[in-house]
Amino acid sequence: MEKKNISIAGAGLVGSLLSIYLAKRGHKVDVYEGRPDARKKNIGGGRSINLALSDRGLKALAGVGLDQKVLDKMSIPMYRRVMHDKEGNLSYQPYGKEGQAINSVSRSGLNAMLVEEAEANGVTIHFEQRCKAIDLESATARFENASGESQEVHADLLFGADGAYSAVRKAMVRTDRFSYSQEYIDHGYKELTIPPGANGEFMMEKNALHIWPRGNYMLIALPNPDASFTCTLFFPYEGNPSFSSLDSLAKARAFFDEQFADALALMPDFDEEWENNPNSSLMIVRCFPWTRNGKVALIGDASHAIVPFYGQGMNSGFEDCTALNRLMDQYGDDWAAMFKAYEIERKPDGDAIADLAMRNFVEMRDLTGDADFLLQKKIEAKFSKKYPTKWTPLYSLVTFSADVRYSEALALGKKQDGLMAEIMAMPNIHEIWDSEAVETKMLALAEKL
Amino acid sequence: MEKKNISIAGAGLVGSLLSIYLAKRGHKVDVYEGRPDARKKNIGGGRSINLALSDRGLKALAGVGLDQKVLDKMSIPMYRRVMHDKEGNLSYQPYGKEGQAINSVSRSGLNAMLVEEAEANGVTIHFEQRCKAIDLESATARFENASGESQEVHADLLFGADGAYSAVRKAMVRTDRFSYSQEYIDHGYKELTIPPGANGEFMMEKNALHIWPRGNYMLIALPNPDASFTCTLFFPYEGNPSFSSLDSLAKARAFFDEQFADALALMPDFDEEWENNPNSSLMIVRCFPWTRNGKVALIGDASHAIVPFYGQGMNSGFEDCTALNRLMDQYGDDWAAMFKAYEIERKPDGDAIADLAMRNFVEMRDLTGDADFLLQKKIEAKFSKKYPTKWTPLYSLVTFSADVRYSEALALGKKQDGLMAEIMAMPNIHEIWDSEAVETKMLALAEKL
C-alpha cells in the first residue's frame, strides 16, 4: 500500500479518531485544529450537550482498541429513561434488554483521550490553526494562527472533520452541483446543572437518563462522573412558553417551579445559569456529494450534522470511520473509487439518522409522557425478549445493533409502526396486553417484517 | 411618508422592476449591478432559457404601467403546446381558454427596457459594481469595480435582488438560525438554435411552445422575434442517455437523429453549438427568513430560485414586487413590520412554486406524451369551459390567475388530482369521456373542491 500525506481539518472527536485509523495504516497524518489545545486551556462550557456513547461508537473505538478504555475510564452506563411528571412522580422505560445501556461520557474527556492516542500513534496535531481557504483540486489548505501567520499545506488527501460549520464544506458549497442544506429547527437549548449533594452523592438515580417530557418541550439530565447532572432544556425560541416569553428571571423561575419543580429544587445555581448560559440553536446539515476530485472528503458533522435527540451525533461520525476503514481495505490505493463508494454508502445512512433524530425528539418530549406509547414499547420489549430473532425494537436497532445500517433501521421501524398500530387497535389493549391473544397476533405480524 | 435611501443589489429583471416601484413612491434608489451595462456590451449567450411571461408577471408590470408596452414590443404569444413524437407527428394541448397565452420574451430585451424605465424614473444604476461584503446590521454594502476600487454604501434599506447566487443572501447564510438549501437536480440543460428559414420565416408553428417529451428528458423550443427558435435540451448529467454518455459529437448527432430527427433537421449549427454551448446546472434555492433587522430583504431568485419548467421564475419574482407594493401601502413607514409581513406571506408561495415547477418537469418531459394524461387534461378543460366558476385547471390557476396565491393553487391542484383519479378510473373512460355520465360525475366531484 502506498503511504500518503494526509491532512485532516478538525481535531474534534471524529477527526482525532479518523487520524488514529489512518496512522495505524502507516500514513503520515497531520491534523489542524482551530481551537487551542484543551489540555492546556479550558474551553467552552454551557454548550456541550453530554454525549451518549452506544454500540456504533463503541464498535468504531474497538477498531483501534479503545472501546474498553473509554468504558472503564470515563463512562456512566444509563440503563433506562426515568420520566418525571409535573408532580415529581417517576416512571421508567428500559433502553434495551437487561444489561444494555447507553453511556454518558464527557465530550472534553473523550476528546482529550483521542488526541493523546493520536499523538501516541504518530499523528501530528497542530492547534490554533484556523482553516482560511481550501483548494479542492489540489487538496491544499491555508491555515492561520492567532497571530495572523498563515501556512499553505499541500497533501495527497484532505479530510474535512471540522464539524457542522465546516470550512472544507464551505469551499464545496461554492462549487457547481453541490447540494447543501442547513435547517434550523424551531427549538434551541440551554444548559443547567444539578450539582452533587453535600457528601458528593448523585441527587437523582445515577444510571439513568432523566426526562421531563412536556409536550412541545422537555428538560433532560445526564449523569457526570463528578456526581453532577448536566441538564438541558430543549425549548422553542418563539411562542408561549418559549425563550422569548420567559423574558425575565422571575418568569423563568416561576415557569420551572410549575413545570420542573423537582429539578429546580436541585439547582442551586439556577438564577446565575439561566442568566449567563446562552440559548443555543440546533441545526441539521445535509449535503452531497461528500467528496471532490478523489482527494477531499467530508466526515462526521461536516457531512451530516443532526439534532442530538437520538444520542447518535458522535456515534454516526464514528461509524463513518468504521465504514472508511472497511472501504480502505477493499479499495487499496484507489482512493478516488473508495471516496465514491464511501459517499454512496454513507449518504442514505446520514439522511436516515437525521430523520430518526427528529422523530426521537417528538418521542422524548411528548410520547414518553403518553400511556399508549409506553404500553406499545412494553409490548414490543416483552415480545422481543421472548422472540429475539423475530423483533428488535427500533431504538435497539439504532442504538444496540451496530451492524444494521441506519437506513435499514429507519425502514424497519416504519414497518413496525404500522404493525404495532394494529396491536394497539385491539379492544381493551391496556387490559389484555400481556395475554396470549396479543402474543399470537404479534407472531403473525412479525412474519411481515 | 418618509423618503428613504434604498440600495438594491442586482439590476436584473426583478431588481430593475423593484427599483421602479420604489422610485415611484418617492424614495432615492441606487441599484448596484456586477455585470457591465448590457446596452454597451453584449453579454452571455447559450445560457438564457427564454422567458415565458404570464399573468402574474404582467400584473406586476401593470403596477408601473409597463405591461402593454412589453406585450406590444417584445412578446410572442404562445397559445398551446405542440408535442413532437419520434416520428415527427404532432399533437396539441392548449394552455388555457381561447385567447389565453403565455408570452415568449427575451431576457436581455426585457431587462434593457426595465433599466431604461428605472433611469427614466430617477433611479441611479451603477454597473460593474460587484458586491463584496454586506453588514446586515447597518444595511451597508461594499462594492468593487473592475479596477479593484471599492466603495462602502450605507443606506436605510438594502434589497438583495442579486439572483440565485445572491451575495446578500450569502451574508445571511452565515448568521445564526438562517435556514438555507441549494439543491441541484439530476438534470442540466444545453441550448441549441433553430434559425429562421431562407426567407426569414419561422420553421415551425410560431405561436406555440414546442416539446419533444421523451420520458426522463426532453427538448423544448420557444419562438423569438427574429423568427428563430431557442431550443433547450433538459437532460440527465449521468446515466444512459446523459451528457456523460454522449461523450462525442458523433454520439450526440446519432442520438438526436434517433430521438429528435425533425428538430435536428432544422439545426444547421448543431455541431458547433453542441461542442461550444455549456451544459448548465439547475438549482432550487430555499431559505428563511428573507429579511434581517428590518433593514435588509431578499427578493426574487435570491430568496426562491426555482427550476424553469413552469415558466414562473421571473413571474414569481415580479409577484414579489406586487406583494411588497401592497404591503408598503398597508404598513406605511413601519418597514420592520412590513418586512416581517412580506416574508411570512411570500415564503409559502415561494415554496409552492418551487414544488409546482418540479411537478411540471415530470409533466412536460413524460406525461405530455401520455394518452391518459392528455385525456384527463381534455376532460378538465372541457368541464372548465362549460362551468368556469366550478373548476379551474391547475395550469390556469398558476399561469392565468394572478390573484390566486401559488400556495392556494398547489393545494387546490392536489385536491383536483385526487378527484380526477376517480374520473380516470371510470370504465372505458377513453370512449365515454365526452358523455353526460362523466359530466354528471365531474359536477358532483367539483362540489368537494
Side-chain angles (χ1 to χ4, degrees), chain A residues 165 170 172-187 237-238 279-281, chain B residues 165 170 172-187 237-238 279-282:
Chain A
Y165 299 91
K170 276 203 183 85
M172 292 188 181
V173 168
R174 287 191 290 265
T175 61
D176 193 31
R177 305 204 67 228
F178 185 82
S179 288
Y180 168 72
S181 87
Q182 60 184 48
E183 176 193 352
Y184 285 89
I185 69 169
D186 294 339
H187 292 68
Y237 275 95
E238 302 295 336
N279 302 340
S280 303
S281 55
Chain B
Y165 298 91
K170 277 205 183 82
M172 293 189 179
V173 169
R174 288 191 289 265
T175 61
D176 194 29
R177 305 203 69 226
F178 186 81
S179 289
Y180 168 71
S181 86
Q182 60 184 49
E183 176 194 352
Y184 285 89
I185 69 170
D186 293 338
H187 293 67
Y237 274 95
E238 303 294 335
N279 301 340
S280 303
S281 56
L282 293 164

Side-chain angles (χ1 to χ4, degrees), chain B residues 82-94:
Chain B
V82 175
M83 278 79 74
H84 297 239
D85 76 8
K86 278 198 202 183
E87 286 71 40
N89 301 312
L90 305 183
S91 53
Y92 307 93
Q93 191 192 1

Side-chain angles (χ1 to χ4, degrees), chain B residues 15-302:
Chain B
S16 322
L17 179 60
L18 174 66
S19 75
I20 300 172
Y21 268 102
L22 294 168
K24 283 188 184 289
R25 301 179 83 92
H27 300 297
K28 179 177 177 308
V29 186
D30 287 89
V31 184
Y32 299 84
E33 168 59 49
R35 287 167 298 183
D37 189 341
R39 294 166 297 186
K40 295 175 193 159
K41 282 191 192 178
N42 192 17
I43 327 169
R47 291 189 66 162
S48 61
I49 305 190
N50 280 47
L51 300 169
L53 176 65
S54 56
D55 286 29
R56 293 170 199 271
L58 286 166
K59 180 177 173 182
L61 289 169
V64 291
L66 291 174
D67 52 330
Q68 206 54 52
K69 188 166 173 184
V70 171
L71 284 177
D72 293 346
K73 291 215 170 170
M74 53 183 68
S75 300
I76 298 177
M78 301 181 286
Y79 296 100
R80 58 181 184 174
R81 289 175 175 159
V82 175
M83 278 79 74
H84 297 239
D85 76 8
K86 278 198 202 183
E87 286 71 40
N89 301 312
L90 305 183
S91 53
Y92 307 93
Q93 191 192 1
Y95 274 120
K97 295 175 206 162
E98 192 141 345
Q100 282 185 326
I102 61 177
N103 302 283
S104 180
V105 267
S106 112
R107 173 183 292 271
S108 56
L110 179 55
N111 209 144
M113 174 200 273
L114 290 171
V115 162
E116 294 281 344
E117 290 286 340
E119 289 178 343
N121 278 278
V123 173
T124 310
I125 304 192
H126 311 259
F127 288 99
E128 298 186 70
Q129 295 287 335
R130 303 215 154 266
C131 182
K132 289 294 179 181
I134 299 281
D135 179 50
L136 297 171
E137 294 286 334
S138 60
T140 301
R142 186 163 61 78
F143 298 100
E144 196 177 284
N145 69 12
S147 338
E149 294 156 342
S150 78
Q151 55 172 327
E152 292 254 323
V153 178
H154 174 70
D156 300 316
L157 301 157
L158 166 66
F159 284 90
D162 48 349
Y165 298 91
S166 169
V168 178
R169 190 188 63 226
K170 277 205 183 82
M172 293 189 179
V173 169
R174 288 191 289 265
T175 61
D176 194 29
R177 305 203 69 226
F178 186 81
S179 289
Y180 168 71
S181 86
Q182 60 184 49
E183 176 194 352
Y184 285 89
I185 69 170
D186 293 338
H187 293 67
Y189 69 92
K190 190 190 274 288
E191 284 196 4
L192 301 163
T193 310
I194 293 178
N199 303 311
E201 76 277 23
F202 283 92
M203 296 298 284
M204 301 187 297
E205 179 175 325
K206 171 188 176 185
N207 291 112
L209 191 152
H210 295 262
I211 310 182
W212 291 256
R214 295 292 183 269
N216 187 39
Y217 56 94
M218 67 178 176
L219 179 71
I220 68 169
L222 277 80
N224 297 313
D226 68 356
S228 68
F229 286 89
T230 302
C231 305
T232 310
L233 174 70
F234 293 100
F235 209 47
Y237 274 95
E238 303 294 335
N240 194 3
S242 71
F243 285 127
S244 286
S245 78
L246 301 186
D247 55 1
S248 71
L249 181 57
K251 285 185 195 170
R253 271 205 89 89
F255 175 76
F256 263 67
D257 199 41
E258 179 191 300
Q259 295 291 337
F260 311 117
D262 60 341
L264 181 62
L266 303 175
M267 293 175 172
D269 304 326
F270 177 85
D271 291 5
E272 196 194 320
E273 291 190 322
W274 184 268
E275 297 279 40
N276 296 329
N277 285 354
N279 301 340
S280 303
S281 56
L282 293 164
M283 179 175 70
I284 302 163
V285 169
R286 292 183 169 88
C287 64
F288 198 78
W290 290 3
T291 72
R292 280 295 198 212
N293 308 318
K295 289 191 175 163
V296 182
L298 302 177
I299 185 167
D301 283 357

Side-chain angles (χ1 to χ4, degrees), chain A residues 295-352:
Chain A
K295 289 190 175 165
V296 182
L298 303 176
I299 185 167
D301 284 357
S303 43
H304 52 88
I306 62 178
V307 290
F309 306 109
Y310 227 119
Q312 290 292 323
M314 169 185 65
N315 288 292
S316 63
F318 280 8
E319 195 176 69
D320 292 341
C321 297
T322 307
L324 272 173
N325 193 49
R326 172 171 40 75
L327 292 166
M328 285 188 275
D329 283 344
Q330 200 175 325
Y331 285 88
D333 291 332
D334 191 348
W335 287 82
M338 195 279 276
F339 276 2
K340 282 277 166 219
Y342 160 70
E343 67 186 7
I344 286 168
E345 173 182 324
R346 290 300 289 167
K347 170 68 174 164
D349 291 331
D351 285 341

